[in-house]
Amino acid sequence: MTDNESADKTPSAGTSTSRDASDAMEKVSSGIYDLIGVKGKTSDSRPGVMDCSGKDTKTYFRIFHPWSFTPASAGDLDEAMERLKTELPKHGWKIVEYGPDTSKNKNIKMTADNDKKRVGVNIVKRSKYDPPILDLTVVSGCYKVPDGEEVERF
């Protein structure tokens, strides 16, 4: 895939400052967390700013928010992943990929897109980790900063 092809596949997310877009991404992550439905804890991570492939880095950006979920009981990991697989589509998400990855551990990977929110999420169930976890990365479409402003990187 060329840079232009990948840029064309990244949806526009509208106009926003990177701070406001970061806050919106945290709300999306929080909504996904609410769907997990089992007890556990999340990592304490903040969203970051990345470039939009093939676009001016001073005026276009994407937000990514990597975080993890560790269930209170290792046995709840399967339930957490199954709940996400069932609940995400009920909340505007379309699952576009689901199945084992190519790693030695054959982790289960799910990718879902929410066209209305212009956001995607990649979820990896890492059963063989100690403790077992879900790794999640929420990524926005491509934002443009308001006229006269530049992308703030944090």
Side-chain angles (χ1 to χ4, degrees), residues 38-98:
V38 298
K39 291 186 193 248
K41 65 179 182 173
T42 62
S43 59
D44 185 21
S45 64
R46 299 272 308 148
V49 176
M50 62 191 228
D51 295 340
C52 289
S53 181
K55 295 200 180 247
D56 179 5
T57 59
K58 290 182 179 157
T59 53
Y60 291 92
F61 68 95
R62 296 173 77 186
I63 298 290
F64 68 99
H65 185 208
W67 55 283
S68 63
F69 173 77
T70 307
S73 163
D76 288 341
L77 187 69
D78 289 339
E79 182 181 345
M81 188 69 157
E82 280 303 312
R83 283 189 53 83
L84 287 172
K85 186 179 175 188
T86 301
E87 294 298 319
L88 283 170
K90 294 178 186 175
H91 292 85
W93 295 85
K94 178 182 177 189
I95 296 174
V96 295
E97 179 184 10
Y98 186 89

